Amino acid sequence: MEVIRTIAATFASCEAARGDGRTVGLVPTMGALHDGHRSLIRRARAERDHVVVSVFVNPLQFGDPADLEAYPRNEQADLEAAAVEGVDVVFVPTVEEMLGSGEGAAEAAVSVDPGPLGDRLEGASRPGHFRGVATAVAKLFNVVGPCAAYFGEKDAQQLAIVDRMVRDLSFPVEIVACPTVREPDGLAMSSRNRRLSPEQREAAGCLFLALSEAAELARAGERDTAKLVAVMAREIGATPKAALDYAAVVDDAFEPVERIEGPARALVAARFGEIRLIDNLRLPS
Ligand code: AMP
């Protein structure tokens, strides 16, 4: 496994692989790798010849400097996990390498507009977040070149925005959506989970519980999304140490819907102290 810190060497490695007729798979991450990330890496490993994992805590997508500062980082453990999964290249750029050095380094002058979807739900709670995501992901796609890129459904809105960006801007990239990996109690794995206190960790189970209740109602035939949203809000609202940010039901285009008439997804976001977690579940139709 090669550990590469520059854009030029990563591009050269992927170009060489493609020149040999090998397919390239990319798994973008912010590190602190857990089994959710590893499921994406395994899928890429199974489906592509040359697997690149990027580890970059992207300052552009953090509105709150304290959140960026507190984000877990463990490069050694990440490299070990990548090696175990048979990764070919780990791309670990510095902020300077990815975003340029000097004043305003964390504010690229040119950025990718994520479109209207970037302003809703997560985008409304975290202004500028999806512009930062889209800009960094677009850059990564240019660093790696034509490839299949693996993203988790855990971050469903991010996945929808990246998918739309690839289509609207004709990136030579195939987006592969991968299912959410969960803890035994249903909590979606997340690098942020390791910052939860034991009480907050227990409370965080309410996210999956809320989504499951909404799914159960939908399975029983409920089509009125206001009822589903109310059930989710009640479950999270009744959990000590949990503060609801939003509960919503959207269609495949991530538009809020009043009635479930096709593919739909329930989404929740809540705070547990300083730590904000999100989750979502496809609803049975
Ligand atoms: P992150 O490091 O949190 O930016 O995540 C990197 C990639 O891993 C994104 O595509 C996430 O959606 C995906 N991911 C994070 N957590 C999970 C999970 N529990 N299950 C599946 N994919 C995940």
Side-chain angles (χ1 to χ4, degrees), residues 28-31 34 36-37 39-40 71 150-155 158 178-181 188-189 191:
T29 81
M30 296 206 298
H34 51 66
H37 299 114
S39 73
L40 271 55
Y71 198 82
Y150 294 77
F151 286 85
E153 282 179 15
K154 149 85 168 40
D155 301 285
Q158 166 175 283
C178 304
T180 302
V181 177
M189 289 190 182
S191 305

Side-chain angles (χ1 to χ4, degrees), residues 187 191-205 271-273 275-277:
L187 178 66
S191 305
R192 295 177 191 276
N193 292 354
R194 63 189 70 181
R195 294 183 54 212
L196 297 167
S197 70
E199 297 76 29
Q200 289 168 338
R201 169 64 189 82
E202 200 184 327
R271 283 188 180 279
F272 303 86
I275 297 131
R276 188 170 173 283
L277 300 179

Side-chain angles (χ1 to χ4, degrees), residues 4-42:
I4 306 184
R5 298 187 190 274
T6 67
I7 289 170
T10 303
F11 184 70
S13 156
C14 295
E15 276 288 276
R18 282 185 292 266
D20 290 343
R22 304 175 75 218
T23 58
V24 176
L26 167 66
V27 183
T29 81
M30 296 206 298
L33 301 183
H34 51 66
D35 281 352
H37 299 114
R38 290 175 79 143
S39 73
L40 271 55
I41 297 172
R42 267 177 223 144

